[in-house]
Amino acid sequence: MIRRVAGAAAGVALVAGLSACGGSSGGDSKTLTFWMYQDRTPQAGQVVEKLRSGFEKANPGVSLKIVKIPKDDYNTKLGSAIASGSVPDVGILDQPLVARYALDGTIAALPAGVIDEKTYYQGALDTNRVNDKLYGLPVDHTCVALFYNKTLVPTPPKTWDELLATSEKVHADNPKVAGMVVPKGDGYGAWMWPGVVAGNGGQMVDLKSKKILWDQPPAVAALQLWVDLMKSSPREITDSDQAFANGLAGMMISGPWDVATIKDQFPDLQFSVAPLPYKTTPAGNIGGEDAVVFSKGKNADLAWKWLAFLGNSTNNTEFAQAMGGFPVNVAAAERDASTFGADQAAFLEQLKVAQSRPPLPQWIQINDEVIAPALEAALSGKSTAQQALTDAAGKARALLGWTA
Amino acid sequence: MVSPVLADKPTATTEPGRHSRRPGRGRRDHLVAWLLITPALIYFVGFLLYPALAALYYSFTDWNLRTTPDWVGLANYKDLLFDDAKYPHFWQSIKVTLQYTIIAVPLTMVAALVQALLINAIRRGSNLFRLLLFLPVVTAEAAVGAIWRWLYDPQYGLVNAVIGLVGIPKQNWLNTPELVIPALAFIAAWQCGISMIIYLAGLKGIPSSITEAAIIDGANPWQRFRRVTFPMLRPTTFYLLVTGVIAALQVFGLVYVIFSGRGQSVTGGPEQSGLTYVLHLYLYAFRYDAMGAACAMSFILFVFIMIITVLQFKFVKQEAS
């Protein structure tokens, strides 16, 4: 027991070791410490090294130290490092954490003049916006889109009605195959769902008037769509490992990371990717990485310069791809779009209409503990979509202290 | 606790010759003793005692790891126990953990005992079987998670193939709320190697004269097990019960690897049916930004485990007979 407590106790002691490499050492020559995720591939490591030395060359007397941490441990280690007072100067930060870190002053607001906002995609930039101020810069962005099995689904559906009809046809043609891998009521499904709501012109919340909107008709219809899709997409099929890649489902929603994996492991599968079907407005959700400057770090000017360097039209495509996403710099994206390959076109299309999560510090908890169970209640048939979402809205109001 | 034992040794020395050659050895031995236990002491104070006391302090604060902790008194404890809006799944996590403990602990002990009896009974190859049955314990947890996700696969899983042989329809094990805990408990029982080794040691410790006497008295194998072997194993069983319950109430790694496949966030399986207490605690500590509440959860668990353990010592028979 004590051992568990010790483990949970912020890993305070554990961080003593990390701090050695985390803190920036003082001195006359300027040192900048940048925290990022572990390289995904050896090539990505080479890109990062190239950018690092390029930045040092462009800024004589500056030494840039990059600390790489496995993605799964990153948030935990960063939190522990901050708790022990040994923050990096600048680092990658998970999108939904920006609001939390901004509101308690852990990260600094972007000073005027560092970048021209018009050079970035708005959706990606907005993931850094808290109370109308930017608290970081995006370095890459990504999104989910509709994967479809070309043998089972010759033309991808564009609208909700077509999606439903396609799913029903696939399952009717072969009852052993599911129409679509419908997302589940877990943290991952709850992350994707707002993109579907936006496809019906809906929003999750209205921050200005502090109102929950996911119990309103556009959102209820979005959940009802998933519920209706379940009829032609039984879970005993879609819960099988890699159901789509094994040819057991006609469609699924996933991100660009799955394109390479499926091609590699299932070379025979004929599939492609299309933008998400929508009802009234093309829309989707956004993921990817932001980078922030820590208030307690040193050399803030230099730190912002580094982030602008990663996001400029010369470097952004390379860095974004090293991170596993797409460029957030409009000029870079437009110039290099054709080099990404035909499978990636749908994601680029989708990113133009991708929307960011509400910048609420409690959003992850609401996503996991309120929205996910509501989705599952409707998907499992234990509750109607309207009832589940009304209940969830009530719970979220209690959590946020908002009035109905 | 260790130092007095070491320090006492010189007075009861068995080597008087060396003793006389080195006068003033008592004080020096004290120093040596302290030096010897220093690494352990540093570890204990730095990595166990200090974090535990710090966690106790933080449990009375509102703290997100970044800002200065805010003293809130007993609010974390009160909200955890009574505020359903703030912690919607606290009681659910307790329910899940108790269900898991009630199923996993007896299942693990029975599996361990049966395996130990079988290994004890065979003459040849017992080393090989002992090794094979122990392997699940030393297998990396991530690999265990991946393998069991395949075994429980609703379409291709071996578990469904086996139960299909006796006519039971296919189940969607890890995605049906009612089946999640039994499925997890079964994995735990499969990993019973350590209990099996301890039972085996207990079996070896039963004097053969007693068993032989029972055979001469005409007791059949079942009677010998019920009247001789099992009562003689009672201290072993008690030890495994107490440690097993403590471990089961803290189950974390297993649920984490089972439900974190393919890079998805862990929210505890379908309808939070696999949201164990420590997983819930972990999510609050590192995902929902509430380290203070997480520390309070760990102390609630600490007190609960202590009570359960005291009750076991009071009401469960521990002496061999």
Side-chain angles (χ1 to χ4, degrees):
Chain A
M1 174 60 210
I2 296 288
R3 214 166 291 164
R4 281 281 179 224
V5 177
V12 170
L14 189 148
V15 170
L18 255 182
S19 61
C21 47
S24 54
S25 52
D28 283 344
S29 65
K30 286 184 173 176
T31 305
L32 197 64
T33 309
F34 177 61
W35 276 28
M36 64 177 290
Y37 299 150
Q38 194 86 57
D39 300 324
R40 295 166 53 253
T41 59
Q43 290 84 339
Q46 286 161 14
V47 167
V48 172
E49 176 51 30
K50 197 188 102 186
L51 292 171
R52 192 192 67 80
S53 58
F55 185 73
E56 282 185 351
K57 228 170 264 165
N59 297 277
V62 169
S63 107
L64 175 62
K65 210 173 138 202
I66 298 185
V67 179
K68 294 175 180 175
I69 293 166
K71 193 173 177 177
D72 287 348
D73 297 336
Y74 189 86
N75 292 347
T76 314
K77 292 222 161 124
L78 183 61
S80 311
I82 294 168
S84 72
S86 57
V87 282
D89 303 318
V90 52
I92 297 292
L93 191 64
D94 203 8
Q95 285 174 359
L97 298 184
V98 173
R100 284 184 193 171
Y101 281 47
L103 290 176
D104 57 31
T106 305
I107 54 176
L110 173 73
V114 175
I115 54 135
D116 176 3
E117 286 195 23
K118 283 198 280 300
T119 60
Y120 283 85
Y121 280 105
Q122 278 307 308
L125 214 48
D126 283 346
T127 62
N128 296 282
R129 213 181 288 279
V130 185
N131 294 338
D132 292 331
K133 262 202 265 178
L134 288 173
Y135 281 86
L137 286 173
V139 290
D140 75 300
H141 60 170
T142 189
C143 65
V144 291
L146 186 77
F147 284 58
Y148 62 98
N149 182 320
K150 287 204 265 191
T151 320
L152 300 167
V153 181
T155 43
K158 286 199 175 60
T159 65
W160 285 9
D161 289 340
E162 286 174 25
L163 174 66
L164 211 50
T166 309
S167 176
E168 275 159 12
K169 182 167 184 316
V170 169
H171 189 54
D173 287 351
N174 184 353
K176 286 189 174 152
V177 174
M180 175 176 168
V181 182
V182 182
K184 311 176 82 128
D186 55 13
Y188 189 51
W191 168 68
M192 291 193 260
W193 188 63
V196 185
V197 175
N200 194 16
Q203 291 292 325
M204 298 300 283
V205 296
D206 179 352
L207 287 175
K208 295 256 151 51
S209 62
K210 297 194 169 179
K211 279 211 160 58
I212 304 285
L213 299 178
W214 71 66
D215 55 350
Q216 299 301 306
V220 175
L223 181 50
Q224 190 59 45
L225 171 73
W226 283 9
V227 173
D228 292 342
L229 283 166
M230 294 288 290
K231 281 173 215 138
S232 52
S233 311
R235 281 218 172 137
E236 57 267 28
I237 301 174
T238 60
D239 282 338
S240 178
D241 188 48
Q242 306 250 38
F244 175 81
N246 277 311
L248 286 179
M251 298 170 281
M252 75 165 176
I253 302 178
S254 192
W257 54 88
D258 257 344
V259 174
T261 337
I262 295 177
K263 281 197 166 161
D264 187 39
Q265 294 173 10
F266 300 86
D268 296 335
L269 188 80
Q270 296 294 312
F271 76 100
S272 190
V273 187
L276 290 178
Y278 58 90
K279 192 164 184 193
T280 62
T281 333
N285 62 333
I286 195 166
E289 278 79 31
D290 290 335
V292 297
V293 174
F294 292 92
S295 313
K296 286 191 181 147
K298 294 190 188 79
N299 301 324
D301 292 348
L302 204 57
W304 286 114
K305 209 169 170 187
W306 165 240
L307 296 187
F309 180 81
L310 291 177
N312 72 24
S313 64
T314 320
N315 300 325
N316 191 230
T317 302
E318 271 189 314
F319 189 69
Q321 295 216 294
M323 297 294 287
F326 295 98
V328 287
N329 183 294
V330 181
E334 282 171 359
R335 184 190 60 223
D336 300 327
S338 57
T339 64
F340 299 144
D343 309 304
Q344 307 290 338
F347 296 110
L348 288 170
E349 197 60 32
Q350 188 80 69
L351 275 169
K352 291 182 186 157
V353 293
Q355 303 194 7
S356 63
R357 276 169 272 216
L360 287 167
Q362 304 93 333
W363 188 254
I364 300 180
Q365 190 191 353
I366 291 176
N367 180 82
D368 287 7
E369 293 221 300
V370 178
I371 297 172
L375 301 184
E376 190 57 29
L379 292 173
S380 64
K382 294 195 170 126
S383 174
T384 64
Q386 179 69 66
Q387 192 56 51
L389 293 173
T390 306
D391 290 350
K395 283 178 191 161
R397 275 186 211 107
L399 205 63
L400 292 165
W402 291 3
T403 47
Chain B
M1 326 149 248
V2 185
S3 61
V5 177
L6 283 177
D8 280 351
K9 270 223 157 131
T11 53
T13 180
T14 49
E15 296 170 273
R18 279 180 67 184
H19 187 229
S20 56
R21 251 184 284 140
R22 293 168 61 184
R25 179 176 156 165
R27 285 189 64 153
R28 276 183 55 166
D29 268 11
H30 263 99
L31 193 70
V32 171
W34 278 107
L35 272 175
L36 286 173
I37 63 162
T38 300
L41 211 60
I42 290 174
Y43 170 76
F44 175 73
V45 173
F47 290 95
L48 297 176
L49 188 65
Y50 168 71
L53 292 177
L56 181 63
Y57 164 71
Y58 290 131
S59 76
F60 298 112
T61 67
D62 184 7
W63 188 43
N64 61 13
L65 283 178
R66 299 185 297 279
T67 49
T68 334
D70 264 344
W71 184 265
V72 293
L74 287 170
N76 284 332
Y77 291 92
K78 212 180 78 201
D79 290 351
L80 278 169
L81 295 172
F82 304 112
D83 191 342
D84 215 26
K86 212 165 173 190
Y87 303 103
H89 298 113
F90 179 74
W91 287 103
Q92 167 72 9
S93 76
I94 291 182
K95 198 181 109 192
V96 167
T97 308
L98 288 180
Q99 277 176 347
Y100 173 81
T101 305
I102 288 167
I103 301 175
V105 175
L107 204 60
T108 307
M109 289 173 65
V110 169
L113 181 56
V114 169
Q115 291 179 359
L117 286 167
L118 290 174
I119 287 182
N120 201 34
I122 56 174
R123 297 250 174 274
R124 279 197 298 173
S126 74
N127 277 345
L128 176 69
F129 280 104
R130 205 163 51 194
L131 173 74
L132 290 177
L133 292 170
F134 197 75
L135 268 182
V137 179
V138 289
T139 307
E141 215 145 37
V144 170
I147 288 167
W148 280 92
R149 276 204 304 273
W150 278 343
L151 289 172
Y152 281 135
D153 192 285
Q155 290 292 316
Y156 310 111
L158 212 57
V159 174
N160 275 346
V162 169
I163 64 168
L165 295 178
V166 289
I168 301 172
K170 282 182 178 181
Q171 301 293 325
N172 193 353
W173 293 97
L174 296 174
N175 295 287
T176 310
E178 296 76 25
L179 295 178
V180 164
I181 290 299
L184 291 173
F186 192 78
I187 302 175
W190 170 76
Q191 286 185 305
C192 70
I194 290 179
S195 306
M196 182 264 289
I197 296 289
I198 294 172
Y199 260 133
L200 202 54
L203 285 171
K204 303 276 187 213
I206 299 175
S208 56
S209 56
I210 301 182
T211 324
E212 279 159 15
I215 294 173
I216 291 166
D217 286 346
N220 66 29
W222 170 244
Q223 286 170 324
R224 289 206 300 275
F225 172 75
R226 250 199 69 197
R227 306 269 179 210
V228 180
T229 312
F230 193 67
M232 290 299 285
L233 283 175
R234 206 166 271 148
T236 313
T237 305
F238 180 75
Y239 168 78
L240 290 175
L241 177 73
V242 171
T243 53
V245 167
I246 291 175
L249 289 172
Q250 298 178 50
V251 61
F252 172 73
L254 182 62
V255 274
Y256 191 84
V257 296
I258 284 286
F259 291 118
S260 70
R262 324 236 309 130
Q264 298 167 11
S265 55
V266 192
T267 44
E271 295 174 32
Q272 278 69 34
S273 56
L275 184 65
T276 64
Y277 193 91
V278 177
L279 177 59
H280 185 250
L281 186 161
Y282 168 86
L283 290 172
Y284 270 88
F286 295 114
R287 201 167 144 82
Y288 307 151
D289 235 15
M291 186 54 85
C295 289
M297 285 181 210
S298 70
F299 275 89
I300 293 174
L301 181 63
F302 174 65
V303 170
F304 183 74
I305 288 179
M306 208 155 70
I307 293 172
I308 293 276
T309 308
V310 168
L311 288 177
Q312 284 174 327
F313 269 93
K314 221 172 145 82
F315 293 109
V316 181
K317 258 197 200 171
Q318 356 176 346
E319 306 301 328
S321 56

PDB file of all heavy atoms in Angstrom, chain A residues 179-190:
ATOM      1  N   GLY A 179     -21.225  -2.981 -41.072  1.00  0.00           N
ATOM      2  CA  GLY A 179     -21.204  -1.812 -41.925  1.00  0.00           C
ATOM      3  C   GLY A 179     -20.039  -0.908 -41.581  1.00  0.00           C
ATOM      4  O   GLY A 179     -19.273  -0.486 -42.426  1.00  0.00           O
ATOM      5  N   MET A 180     -19.903  -0.627 -40.287  1.00  0.00           N
ATOM      6  CA  MET A 180     -18.898   0.343 -39.882  1.00  0.00           C
ATOM      7  C   MET A 180     -18.446   0.049 -38.452  1.00  0.00           C
ATOM      8  O   MET A 180     -19.235  -0.417 -37.635  1.00  0.00           O
ATOM      9  CB  MET A 180     -19.517   1.742 -39.946  1.00  0.00           C
ATOM     10  CG  MET A 180     -18.617   2.838 -39.447  1.00  0.00           C
ATOM     11  SD  MET A 180     -19.427   4.419 -39.681  1.00  0.00           S
ATOM     12  CE  MET A 180     -18.367   5.443 -38.704  1.00  0.00           C
ATOM     13  N   VAL A 181     -17.180   0.309 -38.165  1.00  0.00           N
ATOM     14  CA  VAL A 181     -16.715   0.239 -36.772  1.00  0.00           C
ATOM     15  C   VAL A 181     -17.173   1.536 -36.103  1.00  0.00           C
ATOM     16  O   VAL A 181     -16.555   2.576 -36.263  1.00  0.00           O
ATOM     17  CB  VAL A 181     -15.184   0.104 -36.688  1.00  0.00           C
ATOM     18  CG1 VAL A 181     -14.746  -0.004 -35.234  1.00  0.00           C
ATOM     19  CG2 VAL A 181     -14.707  -1.097 -37.484  1.00  0.00           C
ATOM     20  N   VAL A 182     -18.301   1.452 -35.399  1.00  0.00           N
ATOM     21  CA  VAL A 182     -18.841   2.650 -34.757  1.00  0.00           C
ATOM     22  C   VAL A 182     -18.004   2.933 -33.505  1.00  0.00           C
ATOM     23  O   VAL A 182     -17.748   2.022 -32.721  1.00  0.00           O
ATOM     24  CB  VAL A 182     -20.320   2.437 -34.371  1.00  0.00           C
ATOM     25  CG1 VAL A 182     -20.893   3.698 -33.740  1.00  0.00           C
ATOM     26  CG2 VAL A 182     -21.131   2.035 -35.598  1.00  0.00           C
ATOM     27  N   PRO A 183     -17.559   4.174 -33.319  1.00  0.00           N
ATOM     28  CA  PRO A 183     -16.773   4.475 -32.111  1.00  0.00           C
ATOM     29  C   PRO A 183     -17.554   4.086 -30.855  1.00  0.00           C
ATOM     30  O   PRO A 183     -18.787   4.001 -30.871  1.00  0.00           O
ATOM     31  CB  PRO A 183     -16.570   5.989 -32.182  1.00  0.00           C
ATOM     32  CG  PRO A 183     -16.700   6.311 -33.632  1.00  0.00           C
ATOM     33  CD  PRO A 183     -17.713   5.345 -34.175  1.00  0.00           C
ATOM     34  N   LYS A 184     -16.820   3.869 -29.763  1.00  0.00           N
ATOM     35  CA  LYS A 184     -17.468   3.426 -28.534  1.00  0.00           C
ATOM     36  C   LYS A 184     -17.591   4.577 -27.553  1.00  0.00           C
ATOM     37  O   LYS A 184     -16.999   5.629 -27.748  1.00  0.00           O
ATOM     38  CB  LYS A 184     -16.631   2.326 -27.894  1.00  0.00           C
ATOM     39  CG  LYS A 184     -16.245   1.266 -28.873  1.00  0.00           C
ATOM     40  CD  LYS A 184     -15.342   0.279 -28.214  1.00  0.00           C
ATOM     41  CE  LYS A 184     -16.200  -0.680 -27.449  1.00  0.00           C
ATOM     42  NZ  LYS A 184     -15.868  -2.053 -27.792  1.00  0.00           N
ATOM     43  N   GLY A 185     -18.328   4.329 -26.498  1.00  0.00           N
ATOM     44  CA  GLY A 185     -18.452   5.330 -25.442  1.00  0.00           C
ATOM     45  C   GLY A 185     -17.287   5.265 -24.492  1.00  0.00           C
ATOM     46  O   GLY A 185     -17.452   4.967 -23.312  1.00  0.00           O
ATOM     47  N   ASP A 186     -16.085   5.515 -25.022  1.00  0.00           N
ATOM     48  CA  ASP A 186     -14.913   5.617 -24.146  1.00  0.00           C
ATOM     49  C   ASP A 186     -14.232   6.960 -24.429  1.00  0.00           C
ATOM     50  O   ASP A 186     -14.752   7.777 -25.191  1.00  0.00           O
ATOM     51  CB  ASP A 186     -13.948   4.437 -24.385  1.00  0.00           C
ATOM     52  CG  ASP A 186     -13.533   4.306 -25.847  1.00  0.00           C
ATOM     53  OD1 ASP A 186     -13.784   5.248 -26.622  1.00  0.00           O
ATOM     54  OD2 ASP A 186     -12.963   3.264 -26.209  1.00  0.00           O
ATOM     55  N   GLY A 187     -13.079   7.173 -23.819  1.00  0.00           N
ATOM     56  CA  GLY A 187     -12.417   8.464 -23.975  1.00  0.00           C
ATOM     57  C   GLY A 187     -12.134   8.797 -25.431  1.00  0.00           C
ATOM     58  O   GLY A 187     -12.254   9.946 -25.866  1.00  0.00           O
ATOM     59  N   TYR A 188     -11.787   7.781 -26.207  1.00  0.00           N
ATOM     60  CA  TYR A 188     -11.439   7.969 -27.615  1.00  0.00           C
ATOM     61  C   TYR A 188     -12.672   8.339 -28.443  1.00  0.00           C
ATOM     62  O   TYR A 188     -12.641   9.278 -29.245  1.00  0.00           O
ATOM     63  CB  TYR A 188     -10.812   6.669 -28.103  1.00  0.00           C
ATOM     64  CG  TYR A 188     -10.181   6.692 -29.477  1.00  0.00           C
ATOM     65  CD1 TYR A 188      -9.264   7.671 -29.832  1.00  0.00           C
ATOM     66  CD2 TYR A 188     -10.490   5.697 -30.403  1.00  0.00           C
ATOM     67  CE1 TYR A 188      -8.672   7.655 -31.085  1.00  0.00           C
ATOM     68  CE2 TYR A 188      -9.894   5.672 -31.653  1.00  0.00           C
ATOM     69  CZ  TYR A 188      -8.991   6.656 -31.995  1.00  0.00           C
ATOM     70  OH  TYR A 188      -8.413   6.634 -33.231  1.00  0.00           O
ATOM     71  N   GLY A 189     -13.761   7.616 -28.215  1.00  0.00           N
ATOM     72  CA  GLY A 189     -15.001   7.921 -28.924  1.00  0.00           C
ATOM     73  C   GLY A 189     -15.511   9.310 -28.573  1.00  0.00           C
ATOM     74  O   GLY A 189     -15.988  10.053 -29.439  1.00  0.00           O
ATOM     75  N   ALA A 190     -15.373   9.666 -27.285  1.00  0.00           N
ATOM     76  CA  ALA A 190     -15.837  10.983 -26.848  1.00  0.00           C
ATOM     77  C   ALA A 190     -14.989  12.096 -27.458  1.00  0.00           C
ATOM     78  O   ALA A 190     -15.454  13.216 -27.633  1.00  0.00           O
ATOM     79  CB  ALA A 190     -15.811  11.081 -25.320  1.00  0.00           C
TER      80      ALA A 190
END
